[in-house]
Amino acid sequence: MVDNNETQLKEACQLTGALWAVIAEREGGHWLLQSVSNLNKTKQTALTKFLAQETVDAWLLGASEGENSRSASLSDSKLGAARLYVYPISNSFRAILVAADQQTANAQRIWRLMAGLFQSLPSVVAPSEILIPGLQTDLPYDMPRVLERVLTSFVHAVNPQGAWLAIRRGDTLDISAQWNDPRGDGLSLLIDSNNMLRRLHRTLADVSVSKGQPEWDNLPHATRKSNTKFWVCLPLVIGRRLIGAIALWSQAEFSADEWQKLRELARQASPSVEVIVTFNELTGHLRRLAMLNDFAVTVSSAQNLDQIARRVFGLLTRSFRTELIALYLPSMGGRLVREFSNRDGKFSAQSTSLADHPILPYLQNGRTLRLSDLSNSDFKPVYSGARSGLMVPLKYRGQTIGILSLESTRQDAFSQYDEHLMVVIASHLAGLVEYGRLREEAEARARNLGLIHEVVQQVIGLSDKREMAQITADLLAEYFAYELAGVMLIGDDSASPILGFGGSRRSLVQRALGSEDFVVSAGITGHVFYTGESVLVNDTSQNKLYKQLQGWDARSELCVALKDGGRILGIIDVESSQSNAFTNNDLLAIESLAGVLATVVSSADQYQRLQETVHQLRAAQVELRARMTAQQDAESRLIQAAKLAAVGEMAAGIAHELNNPLTTVTGFTELLLEETPDDAPHRADIQMVLHEAHRARGVVRRLLDFARQGERIRSKSDINEIVEDVLALTKHLIHTSGVRLNIWLGKELPWASVDSNQMKQVFLNLIHNALQAMPSGGNLDIQTVTRERGNRSWVTVSIKDSGIGIDPQNKERIFEPFFTTKGNTGGTGLGLSVTYGIVTDHGGTIEVESRPGLGSTFTVWLPI
């Protein structure tokens, strides 16, 4: 017992004059304090940090392996002693650590006797005793710790120089625990690549090698010392199936008694290891299923592609434990690809040309690709150091619209199950990406149409090209917040160009152009002017066409020609000091504007036709805005639909299966009751059947109410009035329940846009729940008030009871469909779920505060 150990340590300190003493055990690569005497919490913390030092750890391991006591001076003044003495406990990884300014020979003899005494109290028991005790400890939830304990049992049995435990995964043995072999941690050993592992797999029998034998230099893995002479590998077997292996090496062959111990331990450990590994895999499976739920709830609510990518990366990082994630989304026109990745631990997004991008062949192929070893494939990883990868196409209506890539620094990091899971994620993500792209495109087109409309309105009918160029440049900078927007038009005499500049860098560029031409023949502007080809560059340092203007260093540049048939009328050029500043939408916007501006410049006689275009653009803008509004409404319902789809389907099935039989039972029971005399002995039984049938129909009706999306009629309403209507309905029930009602309704409460009937249902559900929580009576407090939160004003309704409260483990689940704590008392578990759905559908939230035995408070927040 720990208390007895501490008592013995205390008595030994008094006999020897030691300042303090502890029993420490090395577990999981760290020294843990088991029993402590005369050492306060501060010094315990300092001692733990001291023992974690690499040199101190090696010193203590040397003492344990040699089973020789030793001492050293203490440099850490926080430990309050001049020297530290170590007395190893034989056949274990424990030692007594004693702090003293000096210890006599007699004192040291006492401590050695203490170490011998503690030798009879081992800290590790057989695997069968520690791993499967009805899951009464937390061990099954911590596979690394369990495997460490299993390996420690083997080490204690034979005291080797080193050891490792590996779990079989497919064709490899993955080292999952090690003792005195840090280089082996995490290694994957291919079974077919080593003769000894192949023999172990084939025969399911021990494999041993002595130094000097031919296979000694081909051991699978072992951190051998110069005096290491023996290596053995024991299989962990279930039936005729190899589930793992344990390797040990020593400076001498094991005795017959030690062999018997090892084989018995392997036999006992195999079922335990099988259960732990299976439990761990099931945990991973459940974690990934939870990720799919998180995906449906979290990712589906993202407003744009950047938010979608960020949330997907976060979910994948938590589920697959790798940050080596990339998402590639080609533009609608197919000229650019938007690449999302984690660079230097930071989320980044950039647009580059798709033509020469290494992802292009995989987009064209459109197949899932899982690579166990990237070094043996033609695939070029996105991240340096990646050793395995999983690439899944995003397909929407049969078309590949993107690629989602996962990479890992471990070989064979992704299983077939991971591949199937990623395919499911990719199928959902494809729809979200397509909706996001359509939304961004619609918003960009609406913005582009607004710009084009504004330009046309202001330049139509103008004959001064200089004014045209300046107005266009100013509007470009205003609409898109470009740092520099330049418009160059060919003058009437075709000699000198006409320039217009807008943006925050306008003055700087105008000063620099005092001695230079805006159109540089060898630069980007010259290339566009002479070829008529549009150019989008998001990293000018990687583009040979870019020529720097004195005093201005652009990192991104977008240039488009104004063309009238085959004739170049000028160019539009926008630049930014930031890399990756422009997207394909910017290119489309500038090209659209260039087309309209070219028309205006080429002929002022087209005024009438342009006026008609203006009307069409206005109508299109209104239509696009209407579609965007409709799309936003659809997206707001997406999460609710995803969460309740399964419940709705089940509710409809239940209603279909139960309504007709219940109607028949009710009808015939009523007929039978009419024909049964009042004094008949079985009349009470028939009445009970009728009552239960009515109750069952009520359950079915509530299920249908939960699943059915009713028509919403919202209007500005007085929340106080809704609360008073509900209280009028429930006042008698409150009184007969022995509950005292206290009401505080806020004065001049702002009105909220709500469906009055749905809000009445919300408050009725909450009041009924409060009354059920107070079976012996109590106090019911109802309060309405206006509150501020997040720069918004809210109307809040609080319903507080003094009932039994909610258990903490149930608090997170009370809004789940069919979750109830009422047992057989008639609860369906739908009331709070319906309440939650109504409140969130109104853009509000519902909060709950509860303590067992003290009551609960439900607060509904509705936006004003």
Side-chain angles (χ1 to χ4, degrees):
M1 296 295 290
V2 172
D3 292 340
N4 189 38
N5 292 349
E6 291 181 354
T7 301
Q8 294 178 7
L9 290 176
K10 185 175 182 181
E11 292 175 351
C13 285
Q14 293 173 348
L15 289 173
T16 61
L19 298 175
W20 52 260
V22 301
I23 297 177
E25 179 175 12
R26 194 173 193 273
E27 182 175 335
H30 303 282
W31 289 94
L32 307 178
L33 305 185
Q34 288 188 332
S35 302
V36 179
S37 176
N38 298 342
L39 197 65
N40 58 32
K41 294 293 184 181
T42 302
K43 289 184 179 179
Q44 288 182 34
T45 302
L47 178 60
T48 301
K49 292 181 179 178
F50 176 74
L51 297 180
Q53 298 177 24
E54 186 174 349
T55 54
V56 176
D57 180 49
W59 181 68
L60 290 174
L61 279 175
S64 295
E65 290 180 7
E67 296 188 0
N68 295 320
S69 59
R70 57 177 62 175
S71 66
S73 59
L74 277 176
S75 58
D76 193 341
S77 60
K78 295 180 181 179
L79 297 178
R83 297 190 67 81
L84 179 66
Y85 295 81
V86 181
Y87 301 94
I89 299 175
S90 299
N91 299 322
S92 73
F93 296 105
R94 295 184 298 161
I96 301 177
L97 307 182
V98 179
D101 293 331
Q102 190 64 40
Q103 287 278 281
T104 64
N106 288 333
Q108 295 185 44
R109 190 176 299 110
I110 291 174
W111 286 114
R112 291 191 190 96
L113 291 173
M114 289 290 295
L117 173 64
F118 288 126
Q119 179 182 351
S120 62
L121 301 173
S123 63
V124 179
V125 295
S128 60
E129 297 174 347
I130 64 171
L131 299 179
I132 317 293
L135 302 184
Q136 295 176 1
T137 69
D138 63 343
L139 285 179
Y141 300 94
D142 188 355
M143 189 176 78
R145 184 182 172 200
V146 173
L147 298 182
E148 186 92 20
R149 295 282 298 273
V150 172
L151 183 60
T152 302
S153 299
F154 283 80
V155 172
H156 285 179
V158 296
N159 195 23
Q161 291 179 321
W164 51 255
L165 185 154
I167 300 300
R168 182 184 176 188
R169 290 187 173 89
D171 296 330
T172 64
L173 285 171
D174 295 347
I175 297 180
S176 303
Q178 56 81 22
W179 180 80
N180 211 16
D181 183 23
R183 288 188 299 175
D185 206 6
L187 282 183
S188 291
L189 307 176
L190 193 61
I191 295 175
D192 289 338
S193 66
N194 185 272
N195 290 333
M196 283 166 281
L197 294 183
R198 280 202 304 271
R199 193 191 317 161
L200 181 82
H201 181 217
R202 185 179 66 254
T203 64
L204 300 180
D206 309 334
V207 176
S208 61
V209 181
S210 297
K211 188 173 183 180
Q213 291 181 339
E215 292 182 330
W216 181 255
D217 294 328
N218 296 318
L219 295 179
H221 172 75
T223 305
R224 292 171 291 180
K225 297 182 178 180
S226 59
N227 61 347
T228 302
K229 296 181 179 180
F230 187 66
W231 181 90
V232 63
C233 190
L234 298 135
L236 299 177
V237 180
I238 296 294
R240 295 294 299 169
R241 181 167 52 89
L242 180 70
I243 66 167
I246 293 179
L248 306 100
W249 50 97
S250 178
Q251 59 188 2
E253 293 190 17
F254 300 135
S255 65
D257 183 57
E258 289 174 329
W259 270 110
Q260 183 178 357
K261 287 181 180 179
L262 290 176
R263 288 170 180 148
E264 178 63 21
L265 281 172
R267 186 188 66 78
Q268 293 181 11
S270 295
S272 302
V273 171
E274 171 79 352
V275 170
I276 297 307
V277 173
T278 303
F279 188 91
N280 188 66
E281 291 175 352
L282 286 175
T283 301
H285 173 73
L286 293 175
R287 184 170 58 248
R288 287 175 170 83
L289 290 180
M291 186 199 68
L292 287 177
N293 182 61
D294 290 343
F295 181 90
V297 175
T298 306
V299 180
S300 300
S301 62
Q303 298 298 312
N304 52 53
L305 292 180
D306 277 5
Q307 284 188 9
I308 291 175
R310 286 179 185 274
R311 294 182 183 184
V312 167
F313 279 31
L315 288 173
L316 294 180
T317 297
R318 292 194 298 272
S319 298
F320 293 94
R321 298 177 182 176
T322 178
E323 293 185 351
L324 310 185
I325 309 170
L327 176 64
Y328 304 93
L329 301 177
S331 62
M332 299 295 287
R335 286 187 290 180
L336 301 174
V337 60
R338 194 185 307 190
E339 178 181 341
F340 301 92
S341 59
N342 282 322
R343 295 294 181 184
D344 300 324
K346 295 182 180 179
F347 178 83
S348 66
Q350 62 178 2
S351 296
T352 56
S353 173
L354 180 59
D356 302 323
H357 201 285
I359 203 65
L360 181 59
Y362 302 99
L363 283 167
Q364 294 171 340
N365 182 280
R367 294 181 180 177
T368 300
L369 186 64
R370 177 163 59 93
L371 299 171
S372 300
D373 187 359
L374 294 180
S375 62
N376 295 327
S377 70
D378 297 330
F379 177 77
K380 184 179 180 181
V382 180
Y383 300 93
S384 60
R387 300 178 64 187
S388 59
L390 177 59
M391 185 177 292
V392 182
L394 274 62
K395 292 192 175 183
Y396 184 76
R397 295 182 178 177
Q399 299 295 320
T400 301
I401 64 169
I403 292 286
L404 180 60
S405 172
L406 281 179
E407 295 177 3
S408 175
T409 56
R410 297 182 293 111
Q411 283 189 0
D412 199 19
F414 306 107
S415 64
Q416 188 174 12
Y417 174 79
D418 295 330
E419 179 181 335
H420 293 164
L421 179 64
M422 284 291 291
V423 169
V424 174
I425 292 173
S427 65
H428 290 291
L429 182 60
L432 292 174
V433 166
E434 189 65 17
Y435 282 128
R437 289 205 299 195
L438 290 174
R439 176 174 179 168
E440 287 189 357
E441 183 183 3
E443 292 175 347
R445 288 185 178 181
R447 187 170 63 249
N448 299 345
L449 288 172
L451 168 63
I452 294 171
H453 170 69
E454 192 74 23
V455 170
V456 171
Q457 285 286 83
Q458 296 202 31
V459 303
I460 195 72
L462 293 177
S463 57
D464 186 348
K465 290 185 178 180
R466 191 174 304 279
E467 192 173 357
M468 288 184 191
Q470 189 57 53
I471 290 174
T472 303
D474 287 337
L475 290 175
L476 273 171
E478 176 184 346
Y479 268 76
F480 295 98
Y482 292 147
E483 292 179 77
L484 176 65
V487 178
M488 188 278 287
L489 302 176
I490 297 177
D492 295 333
D493 55 1
S494 299
S496 58
I498 298 171
L499 302 176
F501 292 101
S504 58
R505 304 288 182 167
R506 172 175 53 188
S507 301
L508 185 151
V509 173
Q510 285 176 327
R511 286 196 302 269
L513 286 175
S515 58
E516 299 184 39
D517 292 331
F518 180 65
V519 176
V520 182
S521 59
I524 292 176
T525 53
H527 176 80
V528 174
F529 183 75
Y530 293 114
T531 65
E533 298 177 355
S534 300
V535 172
L536 171 59
V537 179
N538 268 319
D539 187 358
T540 56
S541 64
Q542 304 297 320
N543 190 282
K544 60 183 180 181
L545 288 176
Y546 176 72
K547 303 298 178 183
Q548 183 177 351
L549 194 63
Q550 183 180 0
W552 166 243
D553 182 17
R555 298 296 178 89
S556 302
E557 185 171 358
L558 171 58
C559 192
V560 175
L562 277 66
K563 296 183 289 187
D564 181 19
R567 188 165 59 101
I568 305 296
L569 305 178
I571 61 172
I572 298 176
D573 184 74
V574 293
E575 300 179 14
S576 172
S577 61
Q578 303 294 322
S579 300
N580 303 305
F582 306 125
T583 66
N584 189 62
N585 285 331
D586 293 300
L587 177 59
L588 292 175
I590 302 303
E591 287 182 338
S592 301
L593 176 61
V596 174
L597 188 58
T599 302
V600 176
V601 173
S602 63
S603 176
D605 295 335
Q606 300 177 355
Y607 174 79
Q608 186 61 37
R609 189 163 40 158
L610 288 175
Q611 279 295 96
E612 295 175 1
T613 302
V614 170
H615 291 303
Q616 294 175 359
L617 291 173
R618 285 177 175 172
Q621 186 177 13
V622 172
E623 182 182 355
L624 281 172
R625 286 176 177 170
R627 288 184 180 181
M628 289 169 58
T629 302
Q631 183 178 346
Q632 290 173 352
D633 292 340
E635 289 175 350
S636 66
R637 294 191 296 269
L638 179 62
I639 297 175
Q640 179 70 12
K643 291 170 67 176
L644 302 181
V647 178
E649 183 177 346
M650 184 175 66
I654 291 174
H656 178 74
E657 295 295 334
L658 296 183
N659 252 340
N660 291 338
L662 287 174
T663 301
T664 302
V665 170
T666 303
F668 280 104
T669 304
E670 288 175 346
L671 292 174
L672 184 62
L673 195 63
E674 289 177 359
E675 298 173 358
T676 303
D678 293 342
D679 56 351
H682 54 275
R683 181 177 180 85
D685 296 334
I686 297 174
Q687 288 176 332
M688 180 180 295
V689 171
L690 182 61
H691 173 75
E692 292 301 313
H694 281 306
R695 190 170 69 86
R697 289 179 65 183
V699 173
V700 172
R701 177 182 56 78
R702 287 194 293 275
L703 281 172
L704 286 174
D705 290 343
F706 174 74
R708 187 182 297 118
Q709 291 287 344
E711 182 181 358
R712 296 177 296 179
I713 303 175
R714 296 185 184 176
S715 61
K716 290 187 176 181
S717 305
D718 186 350
I719 299 300
N720 284 343
E721 184 177 331
I722 295 175
V723 172
E724 289 173 343
D725 289 346
V726 172
L727 289 176
L729 295 173
T730 58
K731 215 159 198 176
H732 177 72
L733 178 61
I734 294 172
H735 176 71
T736 57
S737 299
V739 173
R740 178 181 178 183
L741 177 63
N742 303 305
I743 307 172
W744 294 275
L745 301 182
K747 295 181 179 179
E748 299 180 359
L749 202 68
W751 287 21
S753 178
V754 297
D755 186 318
S756 298
N757 290 329
Q758 287 188 336
M759 280 299 112
K760 288 178 181 178
Q761 182 180 354
V762 168
F763 300 143
L764 275 171
N765 286 346
L766 295 178
I767 290 174
H768 282 162
N769 280 358
L771 294 177
Q772 291 171 357
M774 298 183 290
S776 302
N779 292 319
L780 177 63
D781 301 337
I782 299 178
Q783 182 181 25
T784 62
V785 68
T786 305
R787 300 183 185 179
E788 300 292 327
R789 176 193 280 180
N791 298 323
R792 291 191 64 179
S793 298
W794 304 76
V795 172
T796 64
V797 180
S798 299
I799 298 176
K800 179 180 180 182
D801 63 69
S802 59
I804 60 177
I806 303 172
D807 289 337
Q809 62 266 30
N810 295 332
K811 189 175 178 182
E812 299 298 327
R813 300 187 58 199
I814 58 175
F815 295 113
E816 294 180 6
F818 302 113
F819 177 77
T820 178
T821 60
K822 298 175 184 176
N824 299 322
T825 59
T828 63
L830 294 176
L832 285 179
S833 181
V834 171
T835 298
Y836 180 84
I838 293 173
V839 173
T840 55
D841 191 49
H842 280 73
T845 60
I846 183 168
E847 298 175 351
V848 57
E849 296 178 3
S850 181
R851 293 178 61 186
L854 298 179
S856 305
T857 302
F858 286 81
T859 304
V860 177
W861 294 69
L862 297 172
I864 297 176

